[in-house]
Amino acid sequence: MNAKSDLIGGNTPRPARIRSDASEVIVRWFGYIVIGAFAICCLLPFLLILGTSFTSESSVKKFGFTIWPHEFSTFAYQIVFENPKLIIGSYLVTIGLTVVGTIIGLFIVAMTGYALQRPDFTYRNKISFFIYFTTLFSGGLVPFYLLITQYLELKDNYLAVLLPGLLSPFLIIMMKSFVRSIPHAITESAKIDGAGDFTIFLRLILPMSTPALATIGLFIALGYWNEWYNAMLFLSPDMDYRPLQLFLYNVVTSADFIRNSAASSNVSMSDVPLETMKMATAVVATGPVILFYPFVQRYFIKGITVGAVKG
């Protein structure tokens, strides 16, 4: 009778819905707690690096790495920025290589991925095989060095650092997978309207591939920003400016060499801020990337799921 009167009066009991809402809230807060704890674990190492970089070397030896400096000091940064002209020049070289390499590499990767997914491209499977083959086997360091220095004659040339980073098989496969999700009927309808392949690529494919382009562009930019190995191989110390990562690597290596030489000669070099200088160079190298990442984060999260299974 009560149940019937409730139905007549419109007061339908909904205990199942209430339990469902409560479980959703519990699951949501559990997810917030887990993600928050994970974010803190990811943030903690950087805070340790930042705090240690502003700590004196003697304090690091006594207390270890700390988030909050026991004895505040900027001596490590003074050594890193001892020659502002060199570090500014290194920054400009790295920024130039990153910007130019990212723009050109992103355009080439996008064109390659678009061409390889076209069903009317006859040799797409064969070319895809050769691209994938390079992920399993490579020619090795010696042929690569001879190619750059002897055949291309790019010794002490910034192109020796720029060209190898333009293409990546992994990024081509990622772009190919994303462009495949764009209906081919769009391309066909554009052809019926008289658009050429390059016009279709520029005006249709690229605007629809923004998430993939942002993700791939971030990968290429990080590769150029962190590049030091090819610069060490092909750019001699006689050059005025070399990429930032190589410059900072040489700064730390020089300080380490001075300390080891002093130790072998029984000379006290406790004032050389080796550990704090390592942290300072890490902050100098990663700071711009951390500031830039939030602007592409939403595209990166969407583009990283390229090829995921859709429900």
Side-chain angles (χ1 to χ4, degrees):
M1 184 65 182
N2 293 333
K4 184 176 180 180
S5 62
D6 289 339
L7 291 175
I8 294 175
N11 298 324
T12 304
R14 292 176 291 179
R17 180 60 180 172
I18 295 175
R19 287 195 298 267
S20 177
D21 292 341
S23 62
E24 288 180 3
V25 172
I26 293 174
V27 172
R28 187 180 297 114
W29 277 103
F30 178 77
Y32 290 158
I33 293 173
V34 172
I35 295 175
F38 182 74
I40 293 174
C41 293
C42 294
L43 185 62
L44 185 61
F46 182 76
L47 293 179
L48 285 174
I49 293 174
L50 184 63
T52 305
S53 66
F54 287 101
T55 306
S56 64
E57 187 74 11
S58 59
S59 180
V60 172
K61 292 180 179 178
K62 184 176 180 181
F63 301 103
F65 296 160
T66 57
I67 297 178
W68 190 260
H70 288 277
E71 184 179 346
F72 185 82
S73 174
T74 59
F75 188 39
Y77 288 95
Q78 293 177 11
I79 294 181
V80 173
F81 291 96
E82 184 178 7
N83 194 333
K85 183 179 179 181
L86 283 179
I87 196 167
I88 291 175
S90 299
Y91 256 117
L92 293 177
V93 169
T94 299
I95 292 173
L97 290 173
T98 301
V99 172
V100 175
T102 300
I103 294 174
I104 298 177
L106 192 59
F107 193 71
I108 295 176
V109 169
M111 285 196 299
T112 306
Y114 169 66
L116 293 179
Q117 65 81 36
R118 289 281 297 268
D120 54 347
F121 182 37
T122 306
Y123 302 103
R124 62 192 180 100
N125 291 330
K126 294 181 180 179
I127 295 178
S128 298
F129 169 76
F130 285 117
I131 292 175
Y132 176 73
F133 185 82
T134 60
T135 64
L136 304 176
F137 304 96
S138 65
L141 178 60
V142 174
F144 175 63
Y145 184 83
L146 292 177
L147 172 67
I148 298 296
T149 58
Q150 301 298 324
Y151 292 93
L152 299 180
E153 298 181 353
L154 295 179
K155 182 69 174 177
D156 292 340
N157 193 319
Y158 292 124
L159 289 177
V161 182
L162 179 68
L163 295 180
L166 291 178
L167 282 175
S168 170
F170 169 73
L171 299 181
I172 292 175
I173 295 172
M174 178 182 290
M175 189 66 195
K176 177 183 174 182
S177 301
F178 186 89
V179 178
R180 188 184 290 119
S181 64
I182 300 176
H184 186 63
I186 296 177
T187 303
E188 295 296 333
S189 61
K191 280 188 174 182
I192 294 175
D193 292 337
D197 290 331
F198 201 67
T199 302
I200 294 173
F201 173 72
L202 289 179
R203 297 191 177 184
L204 294 178
I205 303 300
L206 286 185
M208 299 176 66
S209 304
T210 303
L213 294 176
T215 304
I216 294 172
L218 182 61
F219 282 141
I220 297 176
L222 289 177
Y224 279 111
W225 186 266
N226 295 323
E227 173 57 47
W228 67 275
Y229 186 69
N230 288 337
M232 181 184 65
L233 289 177
F234 305 120
L235 303 182
S236 65
D238 298 333
M239 298 186 66
D240 293 334
Y241 305 111
R242 295 195 290 177
L244 177 65
Q245 305 292 344
L246 182 59
F247 172 78
L248 297 177
Y249 172 79
N250 290 334
V251 170
V252 175
T253 304
S254 300
D256 196 8
F257 175 76
I258 293 173
R259 170 170 288 189
N260 293 334
S261 300
S264 62
S265 303
N266 295 324
V267 177
S268 177
M269 291 291 291
S270 58
D271 293 335
V272 178
L274 182 59
E275 298 299 328
T276 57
M277 192 165 59
K278 290 179 181 178
M279 302 304 169
T281 55
V283 173
V284 171
T286 59
V289 177
I290 294 176
L291 295 177
F292 174 74
Y293 178 76
F295 295 99
V296 297
Q297 180 183 8
R298 61 192 182 107
Y299 298 110
F300 180 78
I301 294 174
K302 185 176 180 181
I304 199 65
T305 58
V306 168
V309 179
K310 296 181 180 180

